[in-house]
Protein backbone atom coordinates (compact mmCIF):
# COMPACT_ATOMS: atom_id res chain seq x y z
CA UNK A 1 0.00 0.00 0.00
CA UNK A 2 2.88 2.35 0.70
CA UNK A 3 4.28 1.79 -2.77
CA UNK A 4 1.07 3.13 -4.29
CA UNK A 5 1.53 6.57 -2.71
CA UNK A 6 5.26 6.66 -2.04
CA UNK A 7 6.14 8.74 -5.09
CA UNK A 8 3.31 11.20 -4.44
CA UNK A 9 4.47 11.94 -0.90
CA UNK A 10 8.19 11.93 -1.70
CA UNK A 11 9.95 14.98 -0.25
CA UNK A 12 10.39 16.55 -3.71
CA UNK A 13 6.67 16.30 -4.48
CA UNK A 14 5.63 17.55 -1.06
CA UNK A 15 8.00 20.49 -1.48
CA UNK A 16 6.26 21.37 -4.75
CA UNK A 17 2.91 21.42 -2.90
CA UNK A 18 4.22 23.34 0.11
CA UNK A 19 2.60 26.66 -0.86
CA UNK A 20 -0.75 25.00 -1.48
CA UNK A 21 -0.58 23.09 1.82
CA UNK A 22 0.29 26.26 3.75
CA UNK A 23 -2.50 28.20 2.03
CA UNK A 24 -5.08 25.56 2.87
CA UNK A 25 -3.90 25.30 6.48
CA UNK A 26 -4.10 29.08 6.87
CA UNK A 27 -7.63 29.16 5.43
CA UNK A 28 -8.79 26.37 7.72
CA UNK A 29 -7.23 27.92 10.81
CA UNK A 30 -8.59 31.38 9.98
CA UNK A 31 -12.13 29.95 9.89
CA UNK A 32 -11.91 28.42 13.37
CA UNK A 33 -13.96 30.06 16.11
CA UNK A 34 -12.15 32.21 18.66
CA UNK A 35 -12.72 31.68 22.38
CA UNK A 36 -15.09 28.77 21.89
CA UNK A 37 -14.73 25.02 21.64
CA UNK A 38 -14.63 23.22 18.32
CA UNK A 39 -13.91 19.72 17.03
CA UNK A 40 -10.27 19.72 15.90
CA UNK A 41 -10.57 16.36 14.15
CA UNK A 42 -13.55 17.37 12.00
CA UNK A 43 -12.69 21.01 11.43
CA UNK A 44 -8.95 20.69 10.87
CA UNK A 45 -7.58 17.16 10.52
CA UNK A 46 -10.26 15.62 8.34
CA UNK A 47 -10.83 18.78 6.33
CA UNK A 48 -7.17 19.27 5.46
CA UNK A 49 -6.64 15.57 4.75
CA UNK A 50 -9.67 15.38 2.44
CA UNK A 51 -8.57 18.52 0.59
CA UNK A 52 -5.09 17.18 0.00
CA UNK A 53 -6.27 13.69 -0.96
CA UNK A 54 -8.65 15.18 -3.51
CA UNK A 55 -5.71 17.09 -4.98
CA UNK A 56 -3.34 14.12 -4.97
CA UNK A 57 -5.91 11.75 -6.48
CA UNK A 58 -7.21 14.38 -8.92
CA UNK A 59 -10.63 13.83 -7.35
CA UNK A 60 -13.32 16.50 -7.75
CA UNK A 61 -12.58 18.99 -4.97
CA UNK A 62 -16.24 19.73 -4.29
CA UNK A 63 -16.87 16.00 -3.71
CA UNK A 64 -13.94 15.48 -1.30
CA UNK A 65 -16.33 14.66 1.56
CA UNK A 66 -17.10 11.43 -0.31
CA UNK A 67 -13.50 10.29 0.23
CA UNK A 68 -14.01 10.53 3.98
CA UNK A 69 -17.38 8.76 3.83
CA UNK A 70 -16.10 5.93 1.62
CA UNK A 71 -13.06 5.47 3.83
CA UNK A 72 -15.18 5.25 6.98
CA UNK A 73 -17.64 2.85 5.38
CA UNK A 74 -14.89 0.62 4.01
CA UNK A 75 -12.73 0.48 7.10
CA UNK A 76 -14.73 1.54 10.14
CA UNK A 77 -17.18 -0.32 12.27
CA UNK A 78 -20.61 1.36 12.05
CA UNK A 79 -20.91 1.45 15.83
CA UNK A 80 -17.69 3.51 16.00
CA UNK A 81 -18.19 5.81 13.03
CA UNK A 82 -21.89 6.41 13.54
CA UNK A 83 -22.62 4.86 10.17
CA UNK A 84 -25.68 2.78 9.51
CA UNK A 85 -24.37 0.72 6.60
CA UNK A 86 -24.69 -3.04 6.84
CA UNK A 87 -21.51 -5.10 6.48
CA UNK A 88 -22.68 -6.17 3.00
CA UNK A 89 -23.04 -2.53 1.96
CA UNK A 90 -19.58 -1.68 3.26
Amino acid sequence: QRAAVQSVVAPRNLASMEDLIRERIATILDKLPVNESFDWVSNVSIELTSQMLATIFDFPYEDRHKLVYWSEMATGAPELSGGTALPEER
Side-chain angles (χ1 to χ4, degrees), residues 20-68:
L20 176 62
I21 294 167
R22 288 181 184 276
E23 177 184 314
R24 288 184 175 170
I25 291 171
T27 299
I28 289 169
L29 294 178
D30 287 345
K31 290 180 181 178
L32 294 175
V34 177
N35 296 324
E36 62 182 85
S37 297
F38 62 89
D39 184 341
W40 179 269
V41 172
S42 295
N43 294 13
V44 180
S45 298
I46 292 174
E47 182 59 24
L48 179 61
T49 301
S50 67
Q51 288 181 20
M52 296 313 300
L53 287 175
T55 299
I56 289 168
F57 294 146
D58 196 25
F59 192 81
Y61 189 79
E62 62 278 359
D63 290 335
R64 66 189 179 278
H65 65 280
K66 291 180 181 178
L67 295 172
V68 176

